[in-house]
Amino acid sequence: MAHIVLHPRWQARESEATSEHTYRNRRQFIEALGLGAIGLGVFGATGGCASPYGGPLDTIPQNAPRDGYPAARNETFSVPERPVTGRLYASSYNNFYEFDGRSKEIWQLTDPYEPFPMTIRVRGLVEKRRTLDVAKLIRSMDLEERLYRFRCVEAWAMTVPWTGFPLSKLIEACKPLSSATHVRFVSVNRPSQMVGIERQHWYPWPYYEGLRMDEAMNELAFVVTGMYGEPLPKQNGSPLRLALPWKYGYKGPKAIVRIEFTDKQPGTFWNDLQPNEYGFLSNVNPNIPHLRWSQASEELLETQERVPTRLFNGYEEWVSALYPNEPRQPGGPLAR
Ligand code: MTE
């Protein structure tokens, strides 16, 4: 383990770390998607694979709760400066390591995965341990739609209408003790349904993430149950995942099955693997370059337009006060 250098899929390897490589891959992907957009059936065929799905939207689980869809848009969260990313792009260009998308797109590998029924165990510093049925939880919440920017650490970005409810509502339902300072989230671990888990046995499965309590209770922190007016496709994290739009995408765990409250900063998947490259906070910040590339700009998925990266991904108004030590200027101290 100690000798293996681990590289997330969204990160170019040392030997291929030119931006040109990343660009070429994305271009090929986008060209394939162009074909697929003409007819979803063609999309599967161009992948040259035995996926049972005709296209990336066929992976929405049949038994996902549909009450409350499509939910009304909460207009507080608008993204006026860029177009909404096409649905096919957001449901095809994914990261979900449990499925290991090296040979195929993630969505083409999700057939064995059954997101429902699913439960979430609530543990740690809580009044009472409890187990939540995810379908019941979703039905019990007032769903709303929020258009959010999404920024991957690898400098590509999209704009997605997520459906869900504020994370603060879920935290309140968990009844944490006042001594809890942090919350840890753990993703589902089903090697028999998720082909990437055994194939990439060197990763410390299950995927796990964490937040400070003030971050988790922030108005922006969102539990996602759907996108584009429908329940989440499997590859986007069904049955539910987090969207934290001011942070890099890897801070939003998919298919959450455990929530744990603690009085210490918890470890997180990528921070434990590569602490010098992936911090605990991981706020979107053009002033903190990645060790091997700049974060000053980003490429929009679909249009391929390159635009400047915004501090906190454009959500300063909501989260700036949480991070007094985050560098506001290039060259400031690194807040990890
Ligand atoms: N959650 C789990 N369980 N496993 C993962 O591999 N990848 C993360 C995050 N959540 C990941 C995860 C990363 S690196 C990103 S960029 C986003 O999911 C991607 O979300 P999307 O596929 O919906 O765009």
Side-chain angles (χ1 to χ4, degrees), residues 53-331:
Y53 299 123
L57 303 178
D58 293 346
T59 61
I60 298 173
Q62 301 270 326
N63 53 354
R66 285 190 169 259
D67 322 47
Y69 285 91
R73 170 83 55 95
N74 181 340
E75 297 294 346
T76 313
F77 306 100
S78 64
V79 183
E81 80 285 4
R82 40 170 95 159
V84 177
T85 302
R87 190 177 176 190
L88 273 177
Y89 287 82
S91 294
S92 310
Y93 196 71
N94 300 108
N95 283 314
F96 203 163
Y97 277 73
E98 288 85 334
F99 293 99
D100 176 19
R102 274 174 301 180
S103 55
K104 295 174 182 169
E105 296 306 328
I106 307 282
W107 63 269
Q108 294 171 316
L109 297 162
T110 57
D111 188 45
Y113 175 47
E114 297 287 347
F116 294 95
M118 185 85 85
T119 55
I120 299 177
R121 283 170 209 278
V122 181
R123 296 290 186 267
L125 300 173
V126 284
E127 280 177 18
K128 188 163 128 331
R129 293 170 154 217
R130 53 189 94 216
T131 301
L132 309 172
D133 178 83
V134 174
K136 279 192 197 155
L137 175 74
I138 295 173
R139 288 198 181 96
S140 74
M141 292 287 175
D142 286 333
L143 300 182
E144 60 181 273
E145 183 175 85
R146 294 186 180 187
L147 190 60
Y148 272 173
R149 298 179 195 95
F150 178 100
R151 172 61 150 83
C152 176
V153 72
E154 200 212 8
W156 60 267
M158 56 183 178
T159 309
V160 179
W162 302 113
T163 304
F165 53 89
L167 176 58
S168 61
K169 298 265 183 244
L170 178 54
I171 304 273
E172 280 158 18
C174 295
K175 300 203 186 312
L177 300 179
S178 57
S179 52
T181 57
H182 291 79
V183 53
R184 177 172 184 266
F185 302 91
V186 182
S187 295
V188 73
N189 188 18
R190 293 188 186 164
S192 63
Q193 298 182 6
M194 304 172 120
V195 67
I197 293 181
E198 278 174 4
R199 267 199 214 159
Q200 304 169 101
H201 53 83
W202 53 88
Y203 284 127
W205 305 112
Y207 194 92
Y208 53 101
E209 256 303 334
L211 294 170
R212 296 188 329 218
M213 282 295 275
D214 58 352
E215 298 180 304
M217 295 301 285
N218 187 274
E219 203 185 332
L220 280 182
F222 201 52
V223 178
V224 168
T225 62
M227 59 199 291
Y228 298 88
E230 289 201 71
L232 273 181
K234 294 182 190 180
Q235 64 274 19
N236 290 101
S238 177
L240 56 74
R241 52 94 61 89
L242 297 187
L244 309 161
W246 73 101
K247 291 182 178 287
Y248 290 119
Y250 62 86
K251 289 293 295 180
K254 296 179 169 181
I256 295 167
V257 293
R258 186 179 174 94
I259 302 180
E260 220 174 292
F261 295 87
T262 83
D263 55 7
K264 291 175 195 67
Q265 179 175 301
T268 62
F269 192 83
W270 293 115
N271 184 231
D272 285 348
L273 287 166
Q274 286 170 267
N276 56 340
E277 301 201 354
Y278 306 106
F280 175 79
L281 289 180
S282 290
N283 295 318
V284 176
N285 191 333
N287 307 313
I288 307 181
H290 185 276
L291 219 55
R292 287 174 295 113
W293 60 82
S294 163
Q295 294 291 23
S297 67
E298 62 202 40
E299 184 183 302
L300 302 184
L301 197 59
E302 187 173 19
T303 63
Q304 294 179 258
E305 190 189 346
R306 192 150 272 281
V307 298
T309 302
R310 296 170 66 178
L311 181 62
F312 301 120
N313 209 16
Y315 294 100
E316 266 193 272
E317 179 189 340
W318 279 273
V319 296
S320 190
L322 297 179
Y323 308 107
N325 298 327
E326 187 86 21
R328 264 70 177 169
Q329 304 292 334

